Amino acid sequence: MQLAMREWRQMGKWRGPLSAVAIGALLGVTGPFGSQTSLAPAVRYAFWMVIALAGFGAAVAAERVLPSTAPGRRTATRIIAVAAASAVPMTFFVAWAMGVVRPGRTFSPVQLLGLFPYVALVQLLIARVISSDDRMTVAATVEQPAAAPEYPPEFVSKLPVSFRQDILALEAEDHYVRVHTLHGSALILMRLADAVAVIDPRLGLRVHRSWWVAKSGVRALEKTPGRAIARLVDDTAVPISRTHLSAARTVLTD
């Protein structure tokens, strides 16, 4: 799941530029604003590709500069504001680009004002694409919180109903496991190693070759001459071997 989410985020980095290229290709095909007849096909496609990519950059810059009133959400008003703000520099850029593909073509201040609405329309389309991309990226990066760990059914089903909650510790007794709970203890036919293997490690850890303790069942770790113990909430003293002492200190005292 985490790998899929990471791949989705990597794809999201390119979704905007690829969308701009798609918009440029569409504009190249349709040839709006008289470019269908005034520009040769090769020039027309190149012209609109450059305009779309530059428009994408301008829209992204405007998106970051304009204050957001609702992080993670893009309202219609904000999309229009991004389009209008980015259309200002893009109007001058389009005028310059038009002079490149059509040498000698210049724009007076009045003509620039007339060009602005057409540029703003293109920027509105780009801003809308960016808005959709942001929502998908936010949705993809929000991960659901991990579910609380539970004891597996194959373990719990072996216990009497009254002992299936408030588990404190497991104690090995030959080929059996004694399950200590706040309500007493019960003996089940199961090896301690097998029980530990199926229990979620977030619930507790093995502290001795004969003992496993639940994190919620430990009141404190105590050091006595020659040994360390885990004091359970029912006052039971569980020995901690040297092999497991470091892990016990890390897990049971965090």
Side-chain angles (χ1 to χ4, degrees):
M1 180 64 178
Q2 292 180 347
L3 178 60
M5 298 297 286
R6 185 162 55 249
E7 290 178 349
W8 178 268
R9 287 193 289 269
Q10 290 296 327
M11 290 174 60
K13 295 179 180 179
W14 296 101
R15 191 175 297 110
L18 289 176
S19 298
V21 170
I23 292 173
L26 177 62
L27 294 173
V29 170
T30 57
F33 314 133
S35 62
Q36 182 76 36
T37 56
S38 61
L39 300 176
V43 176
R44 186 174 71 249
Y45 279 104
F47 174 80
W48 283 115
M49 285 289 186
V50 171
I51 294 300
L53 287 171
F56 168 76
V60 170
E63 169 71 29
R64 294 181 178 178
V65 171
L66 292 176
S68 177
T69 56
R73 300 178 60 188
R74 300 294 183 267
T75 63
T77 301
R78 181 168 177 79
I79 293 174
I80 294 173
V82 169
S86 60
V88 174
M90 280 304 299
T91 297
F92 291 94
F93 181 82
V94 170
W96 171 82
M98 188 64 72
V100 172
V101 298
R102 296 179 62 187
R105 179 72 168 91
T106 59
F107 288 81
S108 66
V110 174
Q111 289 174 320
L112 286 174
L113 288 176
L115 180 62
F116 176 82
Y118 299 104
V119 175
L121 283 176
V122 176
Q123 289 305 111
L124 184 63
L125 177 60
I126 294 175
R128 182 65 182 84
V129 171
I130 292 177
S131 170
S132 300
D133 179 63
D134 285 346
R135 281 199 296 269
M136 287 188 292
T137 302
V138 170
T141 55
V142 175
E143 298 182 4
Q144 295 297 323
E150 298 180 350
Y151 289 94
E154 60 266 36
F155 172 76
V156 176
S157 62
K158 297 177 180 291
L159 291 168
V161 175
S162 58
F163 293 151
R164 293 181 180 180
Q165 57 184 352
D166 300 322
I167 295 175
L168 304 180
L170 310 181
E171 180 183 7
E173 292 187 10
D174 295 327
H175 296 292
Y176 293 83
V177 169
R178 182 169 296 281
V179 182
H180 296 267
T181 76
L182 281 176
H183 315 289
S185 65
L187 204 61
I188 61 175
L189 180 57
M190 194 176 197
R191 295 190 310 164
L192 179 61
D194 294 334
V196 172
V198 299
I199 294 176
D200 192 318
R202 291 176 295 173
L203 289 169
L205 78 163
R206 195 167 185 171
V207 295
H208 190 273
R209 61 176 180 160
S210 300
W211 284 90
W212 176 95
V213 296
K215 291 177 63 175
S216 60
V218 177
R219 186 176 67 200
L221 296 185
E222 299 177 3
K223 188 78 164 102
T224 61
R227 67 170 186 162
I229 62 172
R231 183 70 64 181
L232 303 185
V233 294
D234 66 349
D235 211 38
T236 299
V238 176
I240 302 177
S241 67
R242 291 184 179 180
T243 303
H244 298 91
L245 183 57
S246 178
R249 285 174 174 168
T250 300
V251 175
L252 301 177
T253 59
D254 59 0

